Amino acid sequence: DTGVSQDPRHKITKRGQNVTFRCDPISEHNRLYWYRQTLGQGPEFLTYFQNEAQLEKSRLLSDRFSAERPKGSFSTLEIQRTEQGDSAMYLCASSLRGRDEQFFGPGTRLTVL
Amino acid sequence: AQRVTQPEKLLSVFKGAPVELKCNYSYSGSPELFWYVQYSRQRLQLLLRHISRESIKGFTADLNKGETSFHLKKPFAQEEDSAMYYCALFQYGNKLVFGAGTILRVKS
């Protein structure tokens, strides 16, 4: 187990296109979090899962964003009709239980042209 | 609203000098605070959390509820400490609220 992995590492897309990112958490971690980080800012919470249940979504997550964790293992984050303001680093993290250390992935850098 | 403030974007010190990275928070309740670090070309990783009261890589941080602060300190900076440091707060649901980060640059 090499830690949390994310794919792709970089994505360049044109405005209006849909993109999907994948996160593979550390195996046996039942909590999975998505964060977004823009230049000069710390990561901002987007959503989190406990097993396959999505328990909370931030107001940052507009209707164009959807996240899934179908079998309680990997997760996907989809952005529909991308906008230039969606350009950011998207980080995934996982933890064994709620108040445990969150382990972060390397992130997916999205650039919307 | 819960918030974490790191007032310095950049802190530059000489090797061997003391380091203090400032963090202030606002939280209604009993806070649980962390310092995360990101070295160049590496992922974000936990440095320390206040409940463990550990010293990691020579760094310590004390929670001061009266001043709502959780400053990170090290008595003698080393070049390998150069990195981006984020202060973070556990919020309901155990999501993290991060500050904007401080770049620490240790000069030789």
Side-chain angles (χ1 to χ4, degrees):
Chain A
D1 194 336
T2 56
V4 178
S5 61
Q6 294 186 245
D7 183 69
R9 295 290 305 277
H10 304 274
K11 179 71 177 178
I12 299 174
T13 191
K14 293 182 179 179
R15 191 175 53 188
Q17 298 294 306
N18 299 344
V19 295
T20 300
F21 310 142
R22 177 180 170 124
C23 171
D24 286 88
I26 294 171
S27 56
E28 299 175 354
H29 277 192
N30 60 32
R31 288 273 184 132
L32 187 148
Y33 302 81
W34 285 99
Y35 294 86
R36 181 172 70 186
Q37 185 173 22
T38 53
L39 197 62
Q41 299 298 318
E44 295 174 289
F45 169 78
L46 293 178
T47 187
Y48 85 95
F49 293 83
Q50 181 164 302
N51 299 313
E52 64 274 10
Q54 187 174 18
L55 296 186
E56 188 173 344
K57 295 195 294 185
S58 162
R59 282 174 287 181
L60 291 175
L61 219 62
S62 75
D63 291 344
R64 297 184 296 106
F65 287 71
S66 62
E68 292 183 342
R69 194 182 182 196
K71 297 181 181 179
S73 56
F74 73 91
S75 175
T76 58
L77 177 68
E78 181 183 16
I79 309 174
Q80 296 183 325
R81 305 181 303 282
T82 53
E83 302 172 357
Q84 287 185 325
D86 297 331
S87 296
M89 177 74 86
Y90 289 84
L91 295 168
C92 177
S94 70
S95 68
L96 185 58
R97 290 177 297 268
R99 300 191 82 75
D100 287 346
E101 174 183 353
Q102 292 184 21
F103 292 83
F104 282 81
T108 295
R109 182 169 294 284
L110 173 66
T111 302
V112 182
L113 303 176
Chain B
Q2 290 82 3
R3 186 179 302 143
V4 175
T5 303
Q6 294 180 251
E8 302 142 328
K9 286 281 189 192
L10 171 66
L11 183 64
S12 189
V13 301
F14 283 102
K15 178 181 169 183
V19 170
E20 183 179 50
L21 298 169
K22 291 185 168 46
C23 171
N24 288 90
Y25 67 90
S26 62
Y27 186 68
S28 54
S30 187
E32 193 165 344
L33 287 144
F34 304 80
W35 278 98
Y36 276 79
V37 61
Q38 189 165 26
Y39 300 102
S40 179
R41 300 184 188 281
Q42 294 187 25
R43 62 186 66 189
L44 199 57
Q45 59 187 282
L46 179 66
L47 179 63
L48 55 80
R49 58 194 303 178
H50 89 271
I51 59 170
S52 62
R53 295 184 160 274
E54 293 176 304
S55 172
I56 305 293
K57 299 183 179 182
F59 285 97
T60 58
D62 291 318
L63 178 61
N64 185 324
K65 291 185 180 180
E67 296 183 357
T68 61
S69 69
F70 187 56
H71 302 327
L72 183 69
K73 299 178 184 179
K74 184 170 183 176
F76 307 105
Q78 298 173 314
E79 288 181 71
E80 54 264 35
D81 296 329
S82 294
M84 174 71 93
Y85 290 81
Y86 294 98
C87 182
L89 169 73
F90 251 163
Q91 199 175 37
Y92 176 76
N94 309 127
K95 53 188 177 285
L96 291 166
V97 176
F98 286 88
T102 299
I103 298 169
L104 175 63
R105 189 172 296 153
V106 181
K107 300 175 287 189
S108 57

